[in-house]
């Protein structure tokens, strides 16, 4: 199982600190998902060797509109293992699920964002994972927490109906916000997400990384000729 983290300067902890804590908690890997305008500097291979945990190079595109998001996805797709789009508006959510170059629609229900049957069917068609972001359950209270729970239940219902791809994350910005897999599955049970559901969502980050690395390694044919990155089955 993998966790996807926001490291310094996007978060408070270094990639190495995240990796050490995640390894102690029993994770197999961490995905560095910093926003594209707050990139982390780190040596993934050195951290892998130091802590015995996979470090996946990724990022999360944060943009005000689909045009800006599209430009950034195009810029980073060939250099990053996992590319996500920070959701939260209906326009950006729609762009993300309709783009086969996007791996994950992050925080789709945040702010003014929503997910409906049309968007989920597009996500299925293009292999875009919808994120179940548990940070609002872990780190909010009162009415805001109630709204987060309602949105997660709605997302689970529609994802389950269409058997749509998804990932799960606590969206930590500090190693102190990391939660072990068993804690996240226990939390899932409390809010109506089964242990198997949460475990599949955590494992999906690793499956994505493995698939994309394989595609990247096979993409180069000869100078000026490159196989389409997403010709394989999502």
């Amino acid at each position: 199982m993998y966790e996807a983290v926001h490291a310094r300067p996007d978060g408070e902890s270094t990639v190495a600190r995240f990796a050490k804590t995640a390894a102690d908690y029993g994770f197999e890997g961490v995905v560095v998902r910093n926003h594209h305008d707050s990139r982390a500097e780190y040596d993934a291979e050195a951290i892998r060797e130091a802590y015995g945990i996979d470090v996946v190079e990724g990022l999360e595109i944060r943009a005000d509109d689909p045009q800006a998001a599209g430009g950034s996805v195009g810029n980073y797709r060939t250099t990053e293992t996992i590319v996500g789009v920070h959701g939260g508006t209906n326009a950006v959510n729609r762009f993300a699920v309709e783009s086969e170059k996007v791996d994950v629609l992050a925080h789709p229900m945040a702010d003014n964002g929503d997910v409906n049957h049309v968007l989920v069917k597009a996500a299925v068609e293009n292999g875009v994972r919808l994120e179940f972001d548990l940070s609002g359950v872990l780190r909010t209270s009162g009415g805001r927490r109630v709204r987060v729970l309602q949105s997660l239940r709605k997302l689970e219902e529609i994802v389950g109906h269409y058997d749509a791809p998804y990932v799960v994350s606590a969206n930590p910005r500090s190693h102190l916000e990391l939660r072990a897999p068993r804690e996240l599955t226990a939390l899932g049970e409390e809010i109506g997400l089964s242990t198997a559901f949460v475990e599949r969502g955590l494992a999906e980050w690793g499956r994505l990384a493995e698939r994309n690395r394989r595609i990247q390694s096979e993409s180069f044919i000869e100078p000026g000729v490159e196989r389409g990155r997403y010709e394989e089955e999502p």
Side-chain angles (χ1 to χ4, degrees):
M1 286 179 276
Y2 284 55
E3 179 57 289
V5 307
H6 289 276
R8 189 182 298 168
D10 209 17
E12 299 174 13
S13 300
T14 64
V15 174
R17 193 67 182 86
F18 267 120
K20 181 181 186 304
T21 304
D24 291 343
Y25 285 176
F27 283 102
E28 298 170 77
V30 292
V31 178
V32 182
R33 64 186 293 179
N34 284 33
H35 292 107
H36 72 289
D37 52 0
S38 299
R39 306 294 303 282
E41 294 186 8
Y42 59 99
D43 185 332
E45 187 57 39
I47 295 171
R48 290 186 194 108
E49 292 180 2
Y51 302 112
I53 187 170
D54 189 16
V55 178
V56 182
E57 295 163 294
L59 56 74
E60 191 174 307
I61 304 297
R62 181 168 52 188
D64 294 331
D65 56 67
Q67 291 74 25
S72 295
V73 169
N75 288 338
Y76 293 109
R77 177 67 276 178
T78 58
T79 62
E80 303 300 322
T81 302
I82 291 181
V83 173
V85 169
H86 184 112
T89 70
N90 292 334
V92 172
N93 283 0
R94 187 180 186 100
F95 158 78
V97 298
E98 290 180 345
S99 174
E100 64 177 12
K101 293 183 178 180
V102 172
D103 294 313
V104 176
L105 170 55
H107 335 295
M109 312 292 277
D111 301 324
N112 297 317
D114 196 9
V115 172
N116 57 32
H117 294 270
V118 174
L119 296 190
V120 172
K121 285 192 282 188
V124 172
E125 181 178 350
N126 292 300
V128 179
R129 278 67 180 166
L130 300 167
E131 183 185 22
F132 284 76
D133 178 1
L134 302 182
S135 63
V137 181
L138 290 165
R139 299 191 283 276
T140 63
S141 59
R144 185 177 177 188
R145 190 171 190 268
V146 170
R147 289 190 293 275
V148 169
L149 288 169
Q150 290 172 339
S151 68
L152 286 172
R153 288 168 183 152
K154 175 182 178 180
L155 186 60
E156 191 275 335
E157 181 179 350
I158 195 168
V159 162
H161 180 78
Y162 288 101
D163 193 24
Y166 68 93
V167 292
V168 171
S169 175
N171 196 26
R173 293 178 173 273
S174 163
H175 70 282
L176 300 175
E177 293 180 348
L178 274 170
R179 297 293 180 269
R182 65 179 180 276
E183 294 179 87
L184 295 178
T185 56
L187 175 65
E189 291 284 356
E190 287 186 17
I191 65 176
L193 304 177
S194 71
T195 293
F197 185 94
V198 174
E199 287 178 344
R200 283 196 300 271
L202 294 172
E204 185 64 14
W205 293 105
R207 198 181 84 82
L208 266 174
E210 180 182 4
R211 183 203 69 169
N212 288 356
R213 284 166 171 164
R214 184 178 71 251
I215 294 172
Q216 284 176 322
S217 69
E218 296 172 351
S219 64
F220 182 80
I221 299 173
E222 63 182 64
V225 180
E226 190 173 23
R227 191 190 317 279
R229 186 177 162 79
Y230 285 87
E231 288 178 359
E232 294 193 11
E233 209 246 18

